Amino acid sequence: MSAGSSAEALHPIEQTILKALSSSDNDVLIDSLSTSTGLSIDQIRRGIEWLKFKDFVSIKESLTEKIYLASEGVAAVAKGLPERRLLNAAKEGKNTIEEILASGSIRNEEVNAAIAGARRNQWIQLIEGKIVPAQNQNYEKQSPEEAFLADLKDGTEITKLGQEQKKTLEQLKRRPNYVEIKQEKESRVLLTDAGKKLISILEEKEKQEVDQQQQQRRFTTIRRQQLTSELITSGKWRETKFSPIDVEAQAPTIFPGRRHPLVDIIEEVKEIFVGLGFTEIDGPLLQSGFWNFDALFTPQDHSAREMQDTFYVSGQKQPVPATKDQIQKVSDIHKKGWSKNWDLEEARRIVLRTHTTPVTLRHLASIKPAVGRFFSIGRVFRNEKVSYKHLVEFHQVEGVATSQGISLRDLMGLQKEFYAKMGIKKVKFWPTFFPYTEPSLQSMIYNEKMEKWIELFGMGIFRPEVTEPLGMKNPVLAWGGGLERIAMLRFGLDDVRELYSNKLAWLRGVPRCQL
Amino acid sequence: MPVVNIAKDRLRKFFPGIKVDKVLEILPFVGLDIEGMEDNIIRVEYNPNRPDFSSDYGIARALRGLLEIETGMPKFKLAGKSKCIIKVDRQLKKIRPYVVALVAKNGRLDNETIKQLIVMQEDLHNGIGRRRKKTSIGIHNLDAVHFPLTYKTVDGSYSFVPLGETSSRSINEIIKESEIGRQYGPILQGLNRYPVIIDDTGTIISLPPIINGQTTKVDSQCHNLFVEVTATDSKAAEDTLAIIASTLYDAGFKIMTVTIRRQEDKDDRKITEETPTMDPKKITVSLDYINGILGLKLDIKQAITCIRKSRLDAKIIKNNNNKKTTTITCTVPRYRIDITHPIDIAEEVAIGYGIYNIEPTFPASNTAGEKNLLSNYFNAIRETMTGIAMIEVLNFSLTSKEIEYDSFQLTQRKEMLLSVDGSKSSEHEILRESLIPSLLEALSRNVHEEYPQKLFEIGKTFHQESTRESIIEPWNIGAVVAHGEAGYTEIKSIMQALLKTCFGKDVVTKATKNRYYIDGRCSEIVVDNKIIGTIGEITPLALENFKLRVPVTAFEINLSLLTGIH
């Protein structure tokens, strides 16, 4: 991309960053850009990534050595260096080491450093074993070390020190725990040649725009720029010359209204079902234990029915919305297949449906079709810990087909066709287990982008224990699974929570058509 | 789903001359899933309907069939009566009435076999056993058991040395103080006498469903085992024991029966039975049925081959009337507790045939499909709303007290909450009765994004006037508009446009008070003399609680009420 054409395509953040960089001759600390531009650090980082990608800036990572006061250094700033404390004690007439130590001015381990320092600075003389302040009164002045410590700001870079200061630092480094040198990583950003060229183009353009505006202001007084209704109807437009406008300038961003991306996929799936001859059905999210579990031949002591996996509405039991005959037949089949203690109370509990199958079953039970194809897409619930791969509430797709002689092969065929219409070409099937279908299969699809097989919909033929009590004569094929999985693959998400986080940046930004 | 660890070395032993990879390749075709692999160990996930897969012996048994090393019913023979006796006291009747047991002799237990048995025991406890509530298993060193045994109740002060300990503790102590006691003790809650299996010397060998005694501990030196299963359900007890019997048989033990002697309540009649009973089940099924279900045209020979590959026996039944239909009688080994119906045989045929060999066929549609009316209405609504630059969001129906109520300081309404039991997350505890709080929450997540922000959502809400009434769950639409100059007139225009464009309805707004809106800037939405929703400017209190810095206006309409569709 040439610098000229890129100037048009720059994001406002990029422009701001470039401007800030152009006003500085050297490379600039990334962190400091935030203060100079008023942009957030995230925006800065993002902008720089973009610019780097386009080769307008380069990033220099370097290690900088910075000086920090360590514990002794801090103490010295507050109380003075040991040599200063020694001198002060001597001035007060304490002339032997013993006396000075006794006064508490310096500690035992500081004695050597104190004497060495004081002598180096020519602050004291040793006369007949006694410590006496030097007569030259050199001590009135700060020693270089004292000056260094007093002036030191935490985080000062070593490279910024003068020659003398560096020497003093070397001395201080020899004293334990006075200063600490830390290596810090810094990222600096630097304009590339292309970047510099771009800036000059931008500046040129800006100048032109200002000139143009000034010109236009002059121009409008003589010739109109804006076509008005009055000009059109009066016919005066014939005498009017229209000034050119900057058709290359940026226009403000507008955000169209749009459906949620997941809803787009739901609609797509609905269209596929309709195309395959399926009719949509719908039903309540709150279901009785009867339709969610019992009618599906799920034993009453099955772990899926426990509170750990399923949401029950607190303190709610309602009459089972089924006929006496249906309840009797389901109860009989449970007593025969599972436990003699089938309990109507358990069937009366109100559950947030764990799948859409109760809706399908109630529909089948109410119309008992000999031939039919139905689908539903709706929310289902599981009492799970929310994580990148689990939600407590998600969408399930389900399709059922019944007719005389319909078979497992047909189910596989329907499934394959459904996937093909979603753009999924490679499909394979495994045997698996669901309590209410037999035979049961698991389908795997091949994801080209990720180059791996992914488990998707489960399927099977409803068990006779499910269909017979409801009066269904022909086999009922059923398949279904979570929709969010498909959405994640489509939008390249690896955290399912993203679909419900309602982040406007994503909702406004994710393309409706994935090319 | 339960998991079994299989060592590659063991696979080599089970399948001499066959490459481990080849064996692994066919695992999925019996419904097994390789969950992971570490060096020598393969973690295999199996479906809970196949508790016979709870050890590598069971898995090997099935794979041998599919690989055609050995087909038909696996070998199994009971080696007669062990003459060991368990007397069952009638006190157990209301507590944990059933006990079944077996004796396994002359086997060898290496460490890997012990590991497999422990995993099998745990999986059976958790699956068929419903975390030991329904069945629990005790495995003992036969040589340390003094028969006859009695299954009876004792009070909590009775003590014994529990497995893994050195000193004697009372039952009460074990239940209250040990970890295993706290975990499974609740199954015995409310009892003042506890079920135990006691041997002839008065020593407790088992306190079901909690723990065995130390005296009968099993180690790699054991050659003879005694296994008991106690249960609240006789079928579960027998199923469990049958699976254990098959596994121990495959592990090289001789399986012998144990005599269970119980006293009936009414008379003093004693009932005696020998366990385990390993009689296979017979299921008769026609070839047409199988072919019909699978959509295949197998001949009788092929069908029988497939069934035998699934380790069942099959026999053609000669048809008396000499009609075309051929019938097969299948003999199902005792451990296949999942096979109960002809449909299950159809699945076994499919597995024996190989799912990958079945070519999918697309059945032409004999029906015309359509979306339902509500879908069409919602589409019209979405089109209208997006046409006026509204962005659709999705929120959860299960939300938190904090978002739904605390943000508006609505403490007094909390009793009316519809909440769920035992949610694992406090963010998903109550069923929302309005879309407005979650829409405000959505705005609060986007305070750094460019304004104006205009959001809408179509979702269900939940209401119940008193606990006896049924809960209704109408579809609502909610909308919020947030920007520096957001005000009542703008949101009213949007709401009017929606009702007019989608439903041709003119709307009247009547001043009202509502918890979400500023007094004097809130009204009811009335269509055809029905109140279908509310509209207004959100209170600054709520804005502050949601950390919003710009004015927000909102409306919410009950679409079920408006359209008459629920």
Side-chain angles (χ1 to χ4, degrees):
Chain A
M1 197 187 287
S2 77
S5 65
S6 307
E8 314 294 332
L10 281 181
H11 189 279
I13 291 180
E14 292 175 301
Q15 293 191 10
T16 313
I17 294 173
L18 282 175
K19 239 177 236 170
L21 289 175
S22 70
S23 61
S24 162
D25 294 335
N26 293 323
D27 46 13
V28 178
L29 255 183
I30 288 187
D31 294 354
S32 74
L33 273 175
S34 181
T35 28
S36 63
T37 58
L39 293 171
S40 79
I41 191 70
D42 282 337
Q43 287 173 313
I44 294 281
R45 290 207 178 111
R46 226 183 312 145
I48 286 183
E49 273 308 306
W50 298 334
L51 287 169
K52 196 178 128 196
F53 183 70
K54 298 180 197 162
D55 272 338
F56 293 137
V57 300
S58 62
I59 310 249
K60 236 168 64 182
E61 306 223 308
S62 60
L63 285 177
T64 315
E65 289 188 311
K66 292 185 174 177
I67 315 161
Y68 292 86
L69 275 182
S71 56
E72 289 296 329
V74 174
V77 171
K79 299 191 309 196
L81 285 164
E83 53 263 39
R84 177 65 67 183
R85 283 180 265 132
L86 177 96
L87 170 79
N88 289 344
K91 285 207 274 190
E92 282 164 28
K94 303 197 172 65
N95 295 117
T96 66
I97 291 294
E98 289 73 27
E99 283 172 332
I100 293 170
L101 277 174
S103 74
S105 305
I106 60 175
R107 299 192 305 270
N108 231 336
E109 62 269 26
E110 291 174 329
V111 172
N112 287 339
I115 294 178
R119 289 185 66 177
R120 189 168 60 240
N121 296 338
Q122 300 180 349
W123 287 352
I124 54 162
Q125 291 170 306
L126 292 176
I127 303 173
E128 292 166 10
K130 290 198 169 172
I131 300 167
V132 193
Q135 291 186 340
N136 58 16
Q137 299 200 336
N138 257 347
Y139 48 74
E140 296 297 336
K141 270 201 330 219
Q142 275 188 327
S143 74
E145 284 164 289
E146 283 179 312
F148 185 91
L149 287 174
D151 294 343
L152 181 69
K153 290 198 187 79
D154 265 351
T156 304
E157 291 174 27
I158 292 188
T159 50
K160 299 264 164 79
L161 296 180
Q163 216 37 39
E164 285 303 310
Q165 282 176 306
K166 276 186 186 159
K167 254 191 232 160
T168 314
L169 175 66
E170 284 312 307
Q171 263 172 27
L172 275 170
K173 271 161 71 180
R174 266 177 246 134
R175 306 176 81 147
N177 288 331
Y178 271 74
V179 289
E180 191 183 348
I181 312 291
K182 287 188 194 165
Q183 291 200 328
E184 288 180 12
K185 211 173 104 179
E186 274 182 350
S187 300
R188 291 175 164 274
V189 52
L190 175 79
L191 282 169
T192 60
D193 289 342
K196 284 178 190 153
K197 205 168 135 203
L198 178 69
I199 283 174
S200 59
I201 290 171
L202 282 176
E203 281 168 352
E204 184 58 30
K205 255 189 84 176
E206 214 170 283
K207 224 179 85 199
Q208 277 175 7
E209 273 166 27
V210 173
D211 287 352
Q212 224 168 41
Q213 277 168 12
Q214 282 172 352
Q215 243 178 25
Q216 274 167 10
R217 241 173 268 139
R218 264 178 278 135
F219 198 68
T220 17
T221 52
I222 337 164
R223 284 182 284 180
R224 290 172 193 277
Q225 183 198 355
Q226 188 81 24
L227 182 57
T228 63
S229 160
E230 197 255 326
L231 282 177
I232 300 168
T233 50
S234 65
K236 280 187 193 154
W237 59 269
R238 283 172 224 276
E239 293 98 63
T240 313
K241 289 248 166 134
F242 297 99
S243 62
I245 56 166
D246 180 7
V247 294
E248 294 174 9
Q250 287 210 6
T253 312
I254 53 169
F255 300 109
R258 53 183 291 182
R259 291 159 195 256
H260 194 281
L262 192 63
V263 172
D264 281 339
I265 292 191
I266 292 176
E267 285 308 310
E268 184 183 329
V269 170
K270 284 183 181 177
E271 293 301 333
I272 293 173
F273 269 117
V274 170
L276 295 174
F278 285 73
T279 293
E280 187 180 11
I281 53 175
D282 182 29
L285 301 181
L286 292 170
Q287 293 281 348
S288 56
F290 182 84
W291 286 109
N292 196 75
F293 295 120
D294 293 295
L296 282 160
F297 199 51
T298 310
Q300 291 199 320
D301 64 355
H302 194 279
S303 62
R305 299 185 73 149
E306 288 174 21
M307 207 169 74
Q308 299 206 8
D309 293 325
T310 297
F311 288 118
Y312 288 95
V313 180
S314 300
Q316 290 284 339
K317 276 187 182 176
Q318 299 283 350
V320 172
T323 64
K324 263 192 183 159
D325 181 55
Q326 285 168 341
I327 296 173
Q328 187 60 50
K329 283 183 172 150
V330 167
S331 154
D332 288 347
I333 209 112
H334 271 259
K335 285 176 181 163
K336 199 175 138 214
W338 300 123
S339 161
K340 287 167 206 100
N341 309 318
W342 188 82
D343 188 0
L344 181 65
E345 283 306 296
E346 197 55 39
R348 288 179 57 210
R349 294 175 75 184
I350 299 294
V351 51
L352 271 166
R353 67 184 187 197
T354 57
H355 43 195
T356 48
T357 319
V359 173
T360 307
L361 275 198
R362 284 173 80 170
H363 184 73
L364 293 178
S366 73
I367 63 169
K368 301 188 181 60
V371 175
R373 294 184 176 193
F374 308 98
F375 78 96
S376 65
I377 302 178
R379 294 192 179 202
V380 298
F381 301 79
R382 303 279 164 86
N383 193 358
E384 298 238 27
K385 275 218 174 80
V386 178
S387 72
Y388 72 97
K389 56 176 180 181
H390 293 298
L391 293 172
V392 295
E393 189 174 337
F394 55 95
H395 285 82
Q396 195 195 322
V397 182
E398 176 170 314
V400 294
T402 184
S403 69
Q404 199 182 357
I406 201 159
S407 71
L408 189 71
R409 269 178 93 177
D410 296 329
L411 175 59
M412 292 161 79
L414 276 169
Q415 184 68 94
K416 225 181 140 181
E417 187 64 24
F418 177 87
Y419 283 143
K421 292 219 150 50
M422 299 244 25
I424 298 165
K425 301 279 182 269
K426 277 161 102 178
V427 184
K428 59 183 180 184
F429 301 94
W430 301 130
T432 188
F433 166 73
F434 303 109
Y436 45 91
T437 54
E438 185 85 8
S440 306
L441 298 180
Q442 178 68 55
S443 67
M444 311 272 287
I445 58 144
Y446 189 73
N447 184 273
E448 311 281 347
K449 268 189 241 162
M450 296 160 77
E451 295 182 332
K452 65 173 188 183
W453 289 93
I454 292 167
E455 207 173 282
L456 218 52
F457 292 168
M459 71 198 84
I461 303 177
F462 279 140
R463 289 193 70 96
E465 289 92 338
V466 175
T467 48
E468 277 166 14
L470 303 180
M472 293 293 297
K473 296 283 181 295
N474 291 327
V476 181
L477 314 179
W479 81 87
L483 193 77
E484 277 75 359
R485 195 97 181 246
I486 297 177
M488 287 169 74
L489 293 173
R490 176 77 59 91
F491 300 120
L493 301 175
D494 41 24
D495 186 335
V496 66
R497 291 170 292 197
E498 292 285 311
L499 287 169
Y500 291 86
S501 65
N502 294 326
K503 284 186 192 140
L504 275 176
W506 188 66
L507 292 174
R508 284 168 171 168
V510 60
R512 287 204 57 174
C513 306
Q514 303 276 327
L515 296 177
Chain B
M1 284 209 292
V3 171
V4 174
N5 289 335
I6 308 180
K8 282 188 185 165
D9 302 345
R10 301 256 297 181
L11 276 186
R12 285 186 199 108
K13 255 185 245 167
F14 284 129
F15 302 98
I18 298 181
K19 285 212 171 98
V20 169
D21 287 349
K22 172 97 179 30
V23 178
L24 296 186
E25 226 167 71
I26 63 158
L27 284 178
F29 297 108
V30 280
L32 294 165
D33 207 6
I34 298 174
E35 194 214 48
M37 258 191 244
E38 287 138 21
D39 306 331
N40 185 36
I41 301 291
I42 305 145
R43 286 200 311 281
V44 175
E45 217 175 39
Y46 67 95
N47 288 311
N49 65 323
R50 291 296 299 269
D52 56 307
F53 284 163
S54 55
S55 73
D56 57 5
Y57 293 108
I59 289 173
R61 212 183 290 142
L63 293 182
R64 267 201 288 273
L66 220 53
L67 288 166
E68 291 180 276
I69 299 169
E70 205 179 280
T71 63
M73 282 252 288
K75 258 194 298 188
F76 182 89
K77 228 180 116 201
L78 284 172
K81 293 184 185 181
S82 67
K83 294 187 179 144
C84 299
I85 294 174
I86 306 178
K87 293 187 258 182
V88 184
D89 195 296
R90 66 171 66 135
Q91 298 161 320
L92 267 310
K93 193 124 199 179
K94 289 224 164 66
I95 300 173
R96 202 173 178 84
Y98 304 102
V99 63
V100 290
L102 62 78
V103 158
K105 278 193 170 167
N106 303 333
R108 282 189 47 195
L109 287 175
D110 54 31
N111 284 333
E112 191 50 42
T113 308
I114 291 185
K115 254 194 236 165
Q116 291 291 330
L117 292 183
I118 290 171
V119 169
M120 171 182 72
Q121 185 181 12
E122 259 332 280
D123 283 2
L124 292 174
H125 275 155
N126 292 332
I128 310 186
R130 305 292 190 230
R131 287 191 217 107
R132 303 194 189 186
K133 207 171 152 191
K134 205 166 177 182
T135 62
S136 63
I137 304 157
I139 303 180
H140 308 268
N141 176 6
L142 177 72
D143 302 325
V145 181
H146 302 277
F147 289 94
L149 298 173
T150 312
Y151 180 36
K152 63 185 226 174
T153 61
V154 295
D155 67 44
S157 62
Y158 211 103
S159 54
F160 68 104
V161 184
L163 188 62
E165 293 190 32
T166 48
S167 56
S168 183
R169 296 170 81 178
S170 75
I171 292 175
N172 284 336
E173 271 172 40
I174 292 168
I175 288 178
K176 279 196 202 100
E177 286 158 29
S178 72
E179 203 189 311
I180 194 116
R182 278 194 297 269
Q183 194 178 352
Y184 297 105
I187 297 172
L188 302 177
Q189 211 161 35
L191 299 179
N192 44 26
R193 291 178 69 79
Y194 298 95
V196 291
I197 298 176
I198 278 187
D199 78 359
D200 202 33
T201 67
T203 308
I204 291 182
I205 69 157
S206 174
L207 167 64
I210 299 171
I211 196 164
N212 282 355
Q214 171 70 10
T215 53
T216 57
K217 183 180 178 286
V218 172
D219 55 33
S220 56
Q221 308 305 311
C222 285
H223 295 289
N224 303 315
L225 300 176
F226 168 71
V227 181
E228 38 84 12
V229 178
T230 59
T232 57
D233 178 286
S234 62
K235 184 177 176 297
E238 286 161 16
D239 287 350
T240 303
L241 193 68
I243 289 163
I244 297 170
S246 306
T247 308
L248 289 175
Y249 183 86
D250 284 0
F253 285 87
K254 250 169 57 186
I255 310 298
M256 304 175 85
T257 60
V258 169
T259 309
I260 311 293
R261 188 175 293 160
R262 79 177 75 241
Q263 271 184 335
E264 280 302 292
D265 262 342
K266 288 175 187 151
D267 38 51
D268 259 354
R269 206 158 52 90
K270 288 197 177 70
I271 295 181
T272 313
E273 56 179 351
E274 290 291 316
T275 64
T277 52
M278 299 296 284
D279 304 333
K281 211 178 312 181
K282 302 250 184 212
I283 293 179
T284 301
V285 53
S286 79
L287 181 63
D288 286 353
Y289 177 79
I290 292 172
N291 277 329
I293 288 291
L294 302 182
L296 297 175
K297 287 184 180 129
L298 302 177
D299 62 31
I300 190 76
K301 260 193 172 163
Q302 286 172 305
I304 286 180
T305 306
C306 294
I307 294 172
R308 289 183 58 84
K309 278 172 84 177
S310 289
R311 308 309 311 264
L312 275 54
D313 276 347
K315 221 169 71 189
I316 309 171
I317 299 291
K318 288 275 176 299
N319 206 309
N320 304 340
N321 335 350
N322 227 353
K323 272 187 203 157
K324 279 183 194 155
T325 55
T326 320
T327 313
I328 307 167
T329 294
C330 298
T331 315
V332 184
R334 181 63 185 84
Y335 64 86
R336 287 299 303 271
I337 62 170
D338 58 309
I339 299 180
T340 58
H341 190 281
I343 192 83
D344 300 309
I345 303 291
E347 184 174 82
E348 294 306 316
V349 172
I351 291 172
Y353 185 76
I355 299 292
Y356 48 93
N357 288 323
I358 302 180
E359 190 60 38
T361 45
F362 180 71
S365 177
N366 36 23
T367 50
E370 60 177 353
K371 287 196 254 184
N372 67 14
L373 201 50
L374 213 51
S375 273
N376 293 332
Y377 285 169
F378 288 175
N379 268 339
I381 292 171
R382 289 194 173 103
E383 226 161 73
T384 309
M385 293 303 267
T386 54
I388 35 186
M390 307 283 294
I391 287 184
E392 184 175 22
V393 295
L394 290 179
N395 288 296
F396 295 115
S397 322
L398 268 181
T399 174
S400 71
K401 292 189 179 105
E402 194 192 342
I403 289 175
E404 193 84 339
Y405 295 99
D406 297 351
S407 305
F408 305 92
Q409 297 187 352
L410 295 169
T411 40
Q412 76 280 9
R413 290 183 64 86
K414 275 197 183 161
E415 307 87 68
M416 298 179 60
L417 295 184
L418 282 166
S419 57
V420 293
D421 292 325
S423 173
K424 288 177 185 143
S425 149
S426 64
E427 282 172 40
H428 304 287
E429 261 182 345
I430 60 164
L431 288 165
R432 60 177 174 174
E433 56 170 18
S434 164
L435 306 182
I436 301 292
S438 10
L439 283 167
L440 292 176
E441 155 83 357
L443 286 175
S444 82
R445 288 185 187 186
N446 287 296
V447 288
H448 300 299
E449 297 296 332
E450 199 169 317
Y451 286 96
Q453 294 178 6
K454 302 174 173 187
L455 312 180
F456 77 100
E457 180 179 12
I458 298 173
K460 279 200 163 177
T461 57
F462 301 82
H463 309 266
Q464 185 184 40
E465 291 313 318
S466 83
T467 48
R468 263 180 243 140
E469 280 173 63
S470 59
I471 304 166
I472 54 167
E473 41 178 277
W475 286 102
N476 280 18
I477 178 169
V480 287
V481 169
H483 59 89
E485 274 88 45
Y488 182 82
T489 310
E490 180 191 12
I491 194 80
K492 185 173 171 181
S493 298
I494 293 172
M495 182 269 292
Q496 278 177 183
L498 172 69
L499 289 170
K500 190 73 184 174
T501 306
C502 282
F503 303 104
K505 294 289 183 192
D506 290 312
V507 65
V508 178
T509 49
K510 290 198 168 144
T512 186
K513 283 188 176 195
N514 180 290
R515 57 193 188 273
Y516 299 139
Y517 304 111
I518 300 173
D519 278 356
R521 297 184 181 191
C522 163
S523 65
E524 288 167 339
I525 302 169
V526 183
V527 166
D528 297 340
N529 297 318
K530 254 191 310 195
I531 301 169
I532 58 161
T534 50
I535 181 169
E537 296 180 7
I538 300 290
T539 64
L541 170 76
L543 296 182
E544 193 179 278
N545 286 335
F546 281 105
K547 301 195 167 53
L548 294 168
R549 297 183 207 125
V550 293
V552 177
T553 56
F555 73 82
E556 182 167 23
I557 290 172
N558 182 328
L559 293 172
S560 298
L561 211 57
L562 177 71
T563 60
I565 302 176
H566 289 269

